[in-house]
Amino acid sequence: MNRLAAPLRFLTELIAWVAAPWALAPHSILLAVLADLLLIGLPTVLATPGDKEQVLVAVPGWATVGLVLLQLTAAVVATWCAWPTWAAVLTCGLAAACLVTERPRWRRLLAAPRSRAA
């Protein structure tokens, strides 16, 4: 199951990166751009040491788990707002599978000792 976690997480992230701006663009182009800056930028800059090789800004494990949950939520909510029902249903299934496969990683992240940066 650990082999599936990263690809499922990445696919869900891609959906969030596309669907969130798609859902927000009719209301505000600025919000659409900001959504992608947050969804792509935060996980790029913030990371838990030991979870990624290169960490720009160290955060505790709970923050990394929160960022994944943010991505999953954005993907699910945005697809229901912007895409056909069948795509939203598939995204919900993907997000559910991602939640299951991420559990071992999250346990490790949440059990990790607190770093000085935290």
Side-chain angles (χ1 to χ4, degrees):
M1 224 185 294
N2 284 341
R3 284 184 181 179
L4 283 176
L8 290 177
R9 184 174 63 248
F10 181 68
L11 184 55
T12 308
E13 288 172 348
L14 281 176
I15 291 170
W17 300 344
V18 174
W22 195 324
L24 292 170
H27 307 288
S28 168
I29 297 298
L30 179 62
L31 282 177
V33 171
L34 287 175
D36 260 356
L37 285 175
L38 287 174
L39 291 171
I40 297 170
L42 285 178
T44 301
V45 174
L46 307 175
T48 302
D51 191 46
K52 282 189 177 178
E53 286 186 29
Q54 294 183 343
V55 175
L56 297 175
V57 177
V59 295
W62 61 263
T64 297
V65 172
L67 288 172
V68 174
L69 289 172
L70 174 69
Q71 298 273 354
L72 293 173
T73 303
V76 168
V77 171
T79 54
W80 279 107
C81 292
W83 291 357
T85 302
W86 64 265
V89 169
L90 288 176
T91 301
C92 286
L94 176 65
C98 190
L99 285 171
V100 170
T101 59
E102 282 287 301
R103 286 178 56 205
R105 176 178 176 236
W106 290 358
R107 267 192 232 106
R108 181 178 43 79
L109 285 168
L110 296 173
R114 296 179 186 262
S115 68
R116 289 184 188 177

